Amino acid sequence: MGSSLHKEYQMRLPRYDIRETALETVIPLSTPLLIYVDPSSACNFQCGFCPTADRDLMKQTRFVGFMDFDLYRKIIDDFREFDRPIDKLKLYCDGEPLLNPRFADMVRYAKKSGLVNRITTTTNASRLSPELNLRIVEAGLDQINISVYGMNADQYRDFSKTKIEFDSLVANIRHLYEHRSQCEIKVKINGDVISREDEVRFYEIFEPIADGVNVEHVMSCWVQTPEWNLAENGLAPNPNTGIHGQSIQDVLVCPYVFYSFTIHPDGTASACFLDWQRKLLIGDVRTQSVKEIWDGPLLREHQALMLQGKRRSHPICGSCGQMSHGVVPQDNIDPHREVLLDGFEKRLVQIQPRN
């Protein structure tokens, strides 16, 4: 990836670290670059774009609650089996991570382990307070990505079905910024559901109290079902641009399964961070080590399916909007698919642990 592309997308991708190493030159990886560990699959917001908002459906679909701290410690301790530290541990997936009362302890334990390079999270910021701000900064959080869902209390109520004090929300973010130490703060908003005037006001309010701000766009990243879909919530993917403002271009190969996977609060693991239905399970850290799951046959079979060009026929991955509206150019490995497939089995043998 050239330096000009790197600089261009630094401003567009506030929630993502930009890799200098081309993905196609390093996969299959002996150690994942990114692992999602979800502190909470519950959320206090009910945003129309997110299936977690349908609380009755979630109770029928998956475990809803917090990750047990003993299980979390086991996960972090398992990282010792890898040949190098995890590049990024993201304490977030389906719910609001700051609902977990031990969130700061989770950050601290991972940071002190020395087994991860960076620890990040994504939050709606509703639980931020001066006390919690200081705790998570002191614990060693490296980056916090804040999603803003309106520019006043009425917009929050309409979009997230939640009552907030907007001025207090801003004040808590400002306090975090003023005491952030090593913690990088990124703030983003959905530009497709606010006016141009509100977009200008967003920049005016949050640019002075964040290390980066961004306006994003609606995309259909989660699998749409009769039980839950964007249309029923009055939303539709932006037809003109991807979530980050990039051109829409449907890729054949999902890049994420080659460098990341997700561990849910109950210990089950998914190949995909968007697996809200738990249809892409590849293991369980309660009975397996993290490395066993990463090296396991279920994930490898899914990777092989991608390289074989079969994603669009897959019942879950085939209609994934992330592949058209979410993948950024440096993650597109389609041009390298056939070469990667030719060498996939050989390279897998090279990274298998010795008996």
Side-chain angles (χ1 to χ4, degrees), residues 35 50 62 78 81-82 113 132 165 207 271 294:
I35 297 182
C50 179
R62 69 189 193 210
D78 279 356
E81 296 182 5
F82 290 111
S113 75
L132 181 57
E165 296 291 338
E207 273 191 324
W294 176 249

Side-chain angles (χ1 to χ4, degrees), residues 34-40 67 72 75-76 79 88-98 102-111 118-123 141 143 145 263:
L34 165 64
I35 297 182
Y36 292 81
V37 177
D38 198 3
S40 169
M67 178 172 282
Y72 176 77
I75 292 167
I76 301 301
F79 291 175
K88 183 163 70 171
L89 170 67
K90 186 154 191 178
L91 295 176
Y92 167 75
C93 187
D94 289 314
E96 169 49 49
L98 299 187
R102 301 207 64 177
F103 179 83
D105 296 329
M106 297 173 85
V107 174
R108 182 177 295 105
Y109 191 82
K111 179 63 68 171
R118 283 175 56 79
I119 304 171
T120 75
T121 194
T122 295
T123 175
L141 187 67
Q143 182 176 320
N145 307 299
I263 302 174

Side-chain angles (χ1 to χ4, degrees), residues 207-240:
E207 273 191 324
I209 58 173
D211 297 300
V213 295
N214 199 57
V215 174
E216 294 186 347
H217 304 279
V218 175
M219 73 169 177
S220 176
C221 57
W222 285 286
V223 173
Q224 311 290 292
T225 71
E227 294 81 15
W228 182 87
N229 58 77
L230 286 176
E232 288 187 355
N233 292 290
L235 294 170
N238 190 304
N240 303 312

Side-chain angles (χ1 to χ4, degrees), residues 33 48 50 72 81 93 101 133 182 239 315 336-337:
L33 299 177
C50 179
Y72 176 77
E81 296 182 5
C93 187
N133 292 347
Q182 81 292 331
H336 312 281
R337 180 180 69 83

